[in-house]
Amino acid sequence: MRIVFYILSFFFLSSGFAQEKKLVTVHKAMELMGTRFDITVVSGNEDLGYINIEEATAEILRIENMISAWNPDSETSLINKNAGIKPVKVSMELYMLIERAKQISEITDGAFDISFASMDNIWKFDGSMKEMPSPDDIRESIKNVGYEKIILNPIERTVYLSQKGMKISFGAIGKGYAADKAKEFLVSKQVLGGIINAAGDLTTWGTKATGEKWLIGIANPLSEEKIFSWLPVVESSVATSGNSEKYVTFDGVKYSHILDPRTGYPSTGINSVSVFAKSAELCDALATAVYIMGKEDGLALINQLGVTEVILIDADNKVYKSSGILLSDEPK
């Protein structure tokens, strides 16, 4: 089972639930960056709300065009094409994103690593796998992985992948970054409140049209249809990594689609990790890292950071949390 987030009752809000300013809530769902984005804004009127959503969408598309490894014209693709050949000068925005990604790699001992994209696609999570890959194949798959092989030159503002065959990808940080940038844009446009939800990686600001806080519901791990705790998300973000959708099972062991970039093997022992912090980018990256690091090391890291919190559910559906999270000891 996994943690499931329910945003408390914001889709039905309308002018009938408005404050004195007669605020309304406008929502739109769309396919962006290969996944579902839900954008919700609190606005003075519906037309303006939809205009704000379109502007936020344009910002997300801009980010996608910069970081997409599938777009042959993106800066990221240019970096990958020149792996082992030469450094590539990039925009300050992309340079700083890669620099932050490397910093997260360092504090997680490589559990988070944007060079994981170098791994050959030897694991299939579409139902076609019939047996485990061989140890030799797995060892071969990680030979070009390693964040320390991503060479940054701050003076020239270049990025160099030091081995041919290396690739970088932002699959474990990109959605969070895009959500942050969309939120930043909307705040700059004086949008009073809202939620950017990128397939479970979400960030909030302001309040609902009623003036109440945005709340997320934590589902009972034994029954996802039941809520056992509500948490306010105030000017904050949350991201979840889990194994409920993509996995394979061999000899009774469930292997998640989340691969450990240090070993090439899928992570086991954890069903779900949800990280809370100010930045959706940081939540996105740390949720993946903690999932890979495991219960003890992951909880220790989050408790040491001091600016983040985590809720973790292990393979036995037991709930663990960092020191700043207040939940019932047992699901109700």
Side-chain angles (χ1 to χ4, degrees):
M1 310 296 284
R2 63 188 177 95
I3 292 178
V4 177
F5 292 106
Y6 296 88
I7 306 301
L8 181 60
S9 312
F10 59 82
F11 293 131
F12 66 78
L13 293 174
S14 65
S15 57
F17 289 83
Q19 297 173 302
E20 292 180 3
K21 294 181 180 180
K22 296 183 179 179
L23 301 177
V24 299
T25 300
V26 181
H27 165 258
K28 186 176 181 181
M30 63 209 81
E31 188 82 7
L32 297 167
M33 300 179 72
T35 191
R36 173 174 169 142
F37 270 72
D38 289 272
I39 302 179
T40 302
V41 298
V42 176
S43 179
N45 64 75
E46 191 172 86
D47 289 341
L48 178 59
Y50 280 115
I51 291 172
N52 292 147
I53 289 175
E54 290 303 317
E55 291 173 327
T57 300
E59 176 68 356
I60 293 168
L61 289 172
R62 182 188 70 81
I63 299 298
E64 181 178 15
N65 287 333
M66 178 181 70
I67 68 174
S68 173
W70 301 102
N71 179 353
D73 299 322
S74 73
E75 290 184 86
T76 301
S77 290
L78 188 60
I79 293 170
N80 291 341
K81 288 174 185 175
N82 285 280
I85 301 173
K86 64 178 182 179
V88 175
K89 190 175 183 68
V90 299
S91 63
M92 180 60 74
E93 182 177 14
L94 183 60
Y95 183 91
M96 293 179 67
L97 176 60
I98 295 173
E99 186 175 58
R100 293 193 301 274
K102 286 197 65 174
Q103 291 170 351
I104 296 171
S105 295
E106 290 171 359
I107 66 172
T108 61
D109 294 324
F112 172 83
D113 191 335
I114 59 173
S115 72
F116 78 94
S118 307
M119 289 189 286
D120 295 330
N121 190 21
I122 60 173
W123 292 91
K124 307 285 186 181
F125 298 94
D126 57 4
S128 63
M129 283 191 72
K130 303 303 179 186
E131 60 183 6
M132 289 270 291
S134 72
D136 287 342
D137 287 340
I138 293 173
R139 279 193 295 270
E140 182 70 13
S141 75
I142 63 170
K143 68 179 183 180
N144 290 322
V145 177
Y147 68 92
E148 70 282 354
K149 302 170 187 174
I150 304 172
I151 311 302
L152 301 180
N153 184 325
I155 297 176
E156 299 294 330
R157 207 175 69 217
T158 59
V159 181
Y160 178 51
L161 307 184
S162 62
Q163 293 181 192
K164 285 191 175 182
M166 283 189 71
K167 298 176 184 177
I168 59 171
S169 173
F170 298 92
I173 196 173
K175 296 197 310 298
Y177 178 64
D180 281 339
K181 294 299 288 184
K183 169 184 171 179
E184 180 183 311
F185 175 84
L186 291 174
V187 169
S188 75
K189 302 288 286 187
Q190 285 79 52
V191 177
L192 297 176
I195 295 178
I196 311 292
N197 184 356
D201 298 347
L202 63 88
T203 189
T204 73
W205 73 101
T207 65
K208 296 190 288 185
T210 58
E212 298 171 292
K213 297 175 182 178
W214 301 107
L215 297 177
I216 59 170
I218 309 298
N220 187 322
L222 302 180
S223 175
E224 292 185 359
E225 296 179 355
K226 296 180 180 179
I227 300 294
F228 76 89
S229 186
W230 290 96
L231 291 176
V233 184
V234 181
E235 305 292 335
S236 190
S237 306
V238 59
T240 299
S241 290
N243 66 2
S244 65
E245 296 178 358
K246 295 181 180 180
Y247 61 90
V248 292
T249 303
F250 296 119
D251 298 326
V253 179
K254 188 176 182 179
Y255 295 93
S256 164
H257 72 288
I258 301 174
L259 303 178
D260 188 333
R262 302 165 297 185
T263 67
Y265 284 88
S267 298
T268 59
I270 302 295
N271 279 354
S272 178
V273 170
S274 295
V275 173
F276 301 77
K278 287 292 184 183
S279 158
E281 172 192 315
L282 182 62
C283 289
D284 197 1
L286 286 180
T288 299
V290 171
Y291 189 98
I292 291 169
M293 294 172 74
K295 179 179 63 181
E296 288 80 10
D297 290 345
L299 282 170
L301 171 67
I302 296 299
N303 283 326
Q304 289 172 10
L305 289 177
V307 295
T308 60
E309 301 293 342
V310 68
I311 300 173
L312 182 152
I313 299 178
D314 69 10
D316 296 320
N317 287 321
K318 187 171 181 180
V319 179
Y320 299 85
K321 58 186 178 61
S322 55
S323 55
I325 292 285
L326 299 178
L327 290 177
S328 301
D329 291 334
E330 296 293 336
K332 298 176 180 178

